[in-house]
Amino acid sequence: MARDLPIGNGNLLIAFDRDYRLREFFFPWVGEENHTNGAPFRFGIWVDGQFSWIPDGWKLSMDYLEDSLVTSVELVHPTLNLRIVINDLVDFKDNIYMKRLTLENLSDETREIRLFFAHDFRIYGNEIGDTAEFKPDVKALHHYKNDRHFLVNIYANKKFGIDQFSTGTRNLQTLEGTWSDCEDGLLENNPIAQGSVDSALAIPITLAPRATDRCYYWIAAGKNWAEVKALNALIKKQTPEPFFTRTRDYWKLWVDQQQLNYELFPAKLGRLYRRSLLIGRTQINNCGSIIAANDSDAMAFNRDTYSYLWPRDGALVAYAYDLAGYGETRGFYNFCSQVIAEEGYLLHKYTPSGSVGSSWHPWQKNNRAQLPIQEDETGLVIWALWLHFQQFRDTEFIKPLYERLVKKAADFMMNYRDIRTGLPLASYDLWEERQGVLTFTVAAVYGGLVAAANFADAFGEISLAQDYRDGAAHMRQGMDQYLYLEKEKRFARMVEFKHDGSLQVDATIDASLYGVVAFGAYPADDPRVKSSMEQVYNALWHKEGGGLARYENDPYYRRRADGPGNPWFVPTLWLAQYTIALAKTRDELDKALGILDWVADHALPSGVLAEQLDPETREPLSVSPLTWSHASYIATIQEYLNKLVEIERCPACNQPKHSKTRT
């Protein structure tokens, strides 16, 4: 189920599913240590003797406050005659998750209401050895294990502290958990439980006819009791409301730091652009790792998640945020410089804190040792770093990275080649399904070598720069000779050089052929590129409903036997990026707006973009949100604006007619 409302600050990430159940609680790294392990935190309401859990019987609307990582959720129950407006946030600075609830009595009678919050913590992602307790000195609930502590408290009825609560054991013999005790409207005030535990609290509120009231609920996260107690004291000192004001205002300021001229494209595209910046930011750790997605439902597919840094995804996300002017991508490049192998390659994926991630790429195949890498991931980090440097000219930042990241990776890419063909040796593809010499991978390595040559020039190593350029040129010749298929008039997806000297060609039409343009190997108007991309569109575009599939007969989460596969946001946006790269007039450029319009129409109401869609229902499939989807949208908007400024000029003075930023 899609994670419709992620909120976070780079240390603490909270995400709700489409039924407004809190399902993800990551701390102290985004994507590492999910303290719910995907189990829901329940929110229920007792009104005049009737109980219901959200969303049962409630009309639910889920969104964000405009230009902010503060939610705007409305719950209306037509028979209970109750309306609740809720705002959730993770404080932009402190590790506090907070909820503000405004209750409105829609009836002409006084109502007795009790709000119930049930907490199903599984600290460190497991339910062994947890403790849940009531702390009377602060009148708060406290969940802890080792050095992970979570304090739960409220402000209601003009006072701080919990009066009605309980702790208990769950999933043990016949014990369901404390949450089930909420359903009769009463809690037992059991003060402590150990093992596999949960807790619940109640907020009683009496509402006069047609009256409203407001209350607050929060969870402070820390590494010891003193930390969370101090955060609770801070809230008590400042009162809860200022946390909403400061967090809302911070994100409004953050999202508009480039002061983009939104009059240059349709309003709904601008809204999704700002949402993408914000939603993508929730998936970026303050330690620098950029996480692919944080949706624990993926565990049902292969007992693992997308909560890792893939260097490829991270590089393309960093590229998008660099285009948009966000210098916090420096953390990503530093992260890569710390995890890169001494030999100069980046591995499959990494945990958010920097350890080697799980993998299905073996170090040995057919009794022969091999490198279990996707080489595009190494090339794209260097490619993106050069674009970062062009954007910010931050020489002091680049200086230490030149030796320990750029040259190390470039030397590896030069050595990891077939000298005869000039092409990289076989590695795994970007879709992580096959091994060979991929057109996308070769293009990414080409882009990485050209970027390394540019860095070497900038640092005065002219001979080394020429070596890297010669390597890239030889690689480009190999693409011409081995990867372009004269008969089909398109690039191959992949080739394999067999030990007997034969060449095996995979001619499957794959959207990733766009890589030959994206990373500078070929110009967009090269006839070979145009023919390839025309075939990509004709074979992979969904004629009914729109959207581009990854490749012919894609089996991943496949919903229909006919058609090329499910529509994905990233390949669809590649088509828009290619349209932009090819455009020479405003009319040609604006063809990309139709694709961007399709993307905006298929986002969730909150602006969340999934990985892919069901081709019939258009519901999200696989993980949601996918950081790469949002980054691709950001990059496409930026590339559209850059091309618009370039091609629309005053005929008299040849100056640009438009400015990307507001003046």
Side-chain angles (χ1 to χ4, degrees), residues 245-262:
T245 303
R246 79 182 198 177
T247 298
R248 180 200 63 208
D249 291 351
Y250 171 81
W251 290 117
K252 281 181 173 288
L253 186 66
W254 181 90
V255 82
D256 194 39
Q257 62 184 274
Q258 197 180 27
Q259 296 190 309
L260 213 59
N261 183 1
Y262 288 102

Side-chain angles (χ1 to χ4, degrees), residues 402 406-407 451-462 464-466 468:
Y402 176 60
V406 175
K407 288 176 66 175
N454 292 336
F455 276 120
D457 272 337
F459 281 87
E461 297 195 79
I462 307 305
L464 183 61
Q466 190 58 52
Y468 292 156

Side-chain angles (χ1 to χ4, degrees), residues 365-383:
K365 184 177 181 181
N366 299 327
N367 295 319
R368 296 168 64 94
Q370 66 169 16
L371 278 181
I373 63 171
Q374 301 165 30
E375 197 184 354
D376 65 295
E377 299 198 280
T378 301
L380 288 180
V381 169
I382 308 307
W383 170 83

Side-chain angles (χ1 to χ4, degrees), residues 118-254:
H119 318 104
D120 197 356
F121 277 107
R122 294 144 193 245
I123 300 176
Y124 292 109
N126 69 73
E127 41 195 313
I128 299 172
D130 288 2
T131 299
E133 62 182 359
F134 181 72
K135 301 284 278 188
D137 56 330
V138 291
K139 298 192 72 176
L141 287 167
H142 176 218
H143 285 251
Y144 71 91
K145 179 164 61 187
N146 298 343
D147 57 355
R148 299 291 179 262
H149 290 250
F150 305 96
L151 181 153
V152 186
N153 212 343
I154 62 171
Y155 177 80
N157 302 308
K158 299 182 179 179
K159 65 185 183 69
F160 288 90
I162 301 168
D163 294 319
Q164 299 181 30
F165 63 89
S166 199
T167 67
T169 305
R170 52 141 161 75
N171 298 336
L172 183 65
Q173 298 176 356
T174 61
L175 300 174
E176 290 185 279
T178 307
W179 64 268
S180 63
D181 295 337
C182 301
E183 294 176 348
D184 63 2
L186 298 173
L187 293 173
E188 301 299 324
N189 282 25
N190 181 47
I192 195 165
Q194 174 268 336
S196 176
V197 300
D198 69 347
S199 70
L201 66 85
I203 303 176
I205 294 175
T206 300
L207 273 181
R210 304 291 171 178
T212 62
D213 197 2
R214 177 172 285 180
C215 59
Y216 300 83
Y217 158 96
W218 60 88
I219 302 176
K223 295 183 179 180
N224 52 57
W225 169 246
E227 276 188 29
V228 296
K229 185 178 180 181
L231 290 173
N232 186 68
L234 179 68
I235 297 169
K236 189 172 182 180
K237 179 180 179 181
Q238 297 187 2
T239 72
E241 187 61 28
F243 289 85
F244 285 86
T245 303
R246 79 182 198 177
T247 298
R248 180 200 63 208
D249 291 351
Y250 171 81
W251 290 117
K252 281 181 173 288
L253 186 66
W254 181 90

